[in-house]
Amino acid sequence: MTTAERTEPNRAAAPGQAPAPLSVPAPRAGGCPFDPAPAVEQARREEPVTRATLWDGSSCWLVTRHEDVRAVLGDPRFSADATRPGFPFLTAGLRELVGRSSPSFIRMDDPSHARLRRMLTADFMVKKVEAMRPEVQRIADDLLDRMTDGRTSADLVPEFALPLPSLVICLLLGVPYEDHAFFQERSRILLSLRSTAEEVRVSQDELLGYLVRLAESKQRDPDDAIVSRLVARGELDFEEIASMGRLLLVAGHETTANMTALSILALLRNPAQLAKLRDDPTLIKGAVEELLRYLSIVHNGVSRVATEDVTVGGRTIPAGEGVLCMINTANRDENAFPAADALDVGRDARRHVAFGFGVHQCLGQPLARIELQIALETLLRRLPGLRLDAAFEEISFRHDMGVYGVHALPIAW
C-alpha cells in the first residue's frame, strides 16, 4: 500500500485515553479540501508539538502553531541538511536522492547555503522581478487568447496555470520551452508521494543529465540567462549548476501553477470574496497574500533535524530527532490570524509562512507574487463569467503530491 493510500482511524480518543499516533502524510478524509488534514489541525489545537509516524515506521516531531513554526525555521540549531541522521523524509524516493548528486542549497546549512544562494539573489530581487511585469503580462494574455479562441470552456491547469510559470522560469533559466513536457513529467514523478525509489532515481538522473547538457551548451553558446551566468562565473562544476537549475525549474513552475489553479477554485467557492476582487482590483496584491495563507500548498511539512536539544512550545526536542514544520496549520492559527479558517481578501496576511521563514525562506517569492497577481487579475478581468464547469465534488485534489493543488480544473465563461 502506498503512502498516499494509507488510512488511519480518527485521532480523537475517548475521555482519559491518549489520542492515536499521527501519521504523515495524514489522511484527508472528511473536512474541506482547502483545510489542513483534520488530525493535524486537531494536534495544533490540543498538542501543538507532538510525535508523528512516518511512512517507514520512524518517528519525528510535528510543530503546528504559527509561533513555533517560525521559531524552528528561524533557529540555526535546526538543520536543513538532509544527510544528517534523523532528518525526516516523507517518502522512500526522497530518501533515495540523498548522496546521489550535489544537493540543492535548500538542503544545506550556512555557510554553504548562503554562498550558493547569493549567486542567485540578484536574479530574484524585487526590483529585478518587477521589471518583468510587462513580459509576464504578455505571456498571460497570449495564453488566454489561445485558451478562449472560439471556445467557452477549458481545463485551466494545462492551458493557463501550468504554462504561465513554466514559460517564465524557462525564460529566466535559459531552458528551451519546447522541452517543457520532459521536465514537467520528471517534476511530477519527483513530487509524487506514490513514486517508487527507483522511479525517483531515474527521473532525477534524467533531469540532472538534461541540465548538465544544457550547462555545457551554454559554455559553447552563452546567453544572458541564469544557467549561462552560473557557467561564466566558473565557481561551480556542471553537476552543481544542474542541481541548482533543477531546484529552480521544479519549484519555479509547480508551486505557482498549483497556487494559481487552487486560488481560482477557492474564489469560485467564495463568491462574496470573488465579487470584492472584481469590484476593487486594487485588492489583488493583498488577496494573493491571503490566498497564500489560506491555501498553503505545502501540506506535508518542511523538514528539519535538531542539532542539539531545543525546547519548542514547552517540549524538548532532543538532538538528532527530525521535525516537520506544518506550514498549513501555522497559517490557520487563530492566534496569528483571527477567524483563520475564513478566506478574507481584505485581511492583512503578510505574516504568513507560506514561503517559509528564516534564512531558507523561498528565494523566488517575489517572482511567485507577481505571477499570481497577474494571473488572478487577468483571469478575473478578461473572463467576467468565469465559473466552475464541474461539480466541486468531482474535482481531483493533489493529495498524492508533495505540492498541493488540483490535477485538473474545468472552467467555463
Side-chain angles (χ1 to χ4, degrees), residues 9 18 27 32 60 78 91 119-120 153 172 180 200 202 272 287 302 312 388 403 407:
C32 174
C60 69
F78 288 98
T91 66
M119 294 182 186
L120 297 169
S153 64
L172 279 173
H180 69 278
V200 169
V202 171
V302 174
V312 178
L388 191 60
V403 175
H407 288 289

Side-chain angles (χ1 to χ4, degrees), residues 154-393:
D155 180 350
L156 189 72
V157 173
E159 299 208 43
F160 183 83
L162 183 57
L164 174 59
S166 296
L167 281 160
V168 173
I169 199 63
C170 284
L171 188 67
L172 279 173
L173 288 175
V175 172
Y177 184 68
E178 54 264 29
D179 295 336
H180 69 278
F182 169 84
F183 67 74
Q184 285 171 0
E185 174 60 15
R186 273 70 189 170
S187 297
R188 184 194 66 77
I189 293 170
L190 292 174
L191 291 171
S192 175
L193 301 178
R194 298 177 183 269
S195 296
T196 66
E198 177 64 12
E199 289 171 334
V200 169
R201 182 190 65 77
V202 171
S203 293
Q204 168 90 328
D205 290 348
E206 290 176 342
L207 187 54
L208 286 174
Y210 169 85
L211 290 166
V212 165
R213 293 190 294 274
L214 178 72
E216 291 170 343
S217 74
K218 299 299 184 183
Q219 188 175 53
R220 298 187 299 268
D221 186 18
D223 55 28
D224 192 40
I226 289 174
V227 171
S228 191
R229 291 201 298 275
L230 290 173
V231 171
R233 289 178 72 111
E235 298 178 42
L236 304 174
D237 62 30
F238 289 139
E239 185 177 323
E240 290 171 321
I241 292 170
S243 179
M244 197 174 288
R246 174 199 59 198
L247 168 65
L248 297 177
L249 192 60
V250 174
H253 75 275
E254 280 283 352
T255 51
T256 308
N258 283 289
M259 263 304 303
T260 299
L262 204 58
S263 294
I264 290 296
L265 181 57
L267 288 170
L268 291 174
R269 292 289 288 177
N270 288 270
Q273 299 301 307
L274 178 60
K276 286 183 180 180
L277 289 185
R278 289 196 188 282
D279 292 343
D280 185 2
T282 64
L283 293 175
I284 289 285
K285 285 188 177 181
V288 164
E289 302 305 316
E290 169 66 352
L291 286 160
L292 286 162
R293 179 202 71 82
Y294 179 73
L295 298 169
S296 300
I297 58 172
V298 178
H299 274 211
N300 294 316
V302 174
S303 299
R304 294 290 187 266
V305 60
T307 60
E308 59 183 84
D309 294 358
V310 187
T311 299
V312 178
R315 302 292 298 271
T316 297
I317 298 177
E321 297 200 357
V323 177
L324 288 176
C325 293
M326 304 306 290
I327 297 296
N328 57 340
T329 57
N331 281 337
R332 292 295 190 92
D333 187 340
E334 59 274 6
N335 290 319
F337 306 101
D341 286 336
L343 175 63
D344 178 2
V345 297
R347 183 199 305 270
D348 181 357
R350 287 175 294 179
R351 292 185 70 249
H352 69 73
V353 289
F355 291 117
F357 187 72
V359 297
H360 284 84
Q361 193 169 168
C362 176
L363 174 71
Q365 59 183 289
L367 178 61
R369 285 186 164 100
I370 283 176
E371 290 172 337
L372 289 167
Q373 291 163 13
I374 289 173
L376 295 185
E377 189 279 331
T378 306
L379 284 165
L380 298 186
R381 171 171 47 83
R382 293 191 50 181
L383 301 177
L386 182 65
R387 65 186 185 277
L388 191 60
D389 198 27
F392 181 71
E393 295 72 23

Side-chain angles (χ1 to χ4, degrees), residues 6-13 18-27 39-40 43 47 50-54 57-60 62:
R6 185 176 59 197
T7 59
E8 71 170 13
N10 192 310
R11 188 168 182 269
L22 269 169
S23 63
V24 181
V40 182
E47 192 179 358
T50 190
R51 303 291 287 172
T53 302
L54 296 170
S58 65
S59 64
C60 69
L62 235 56

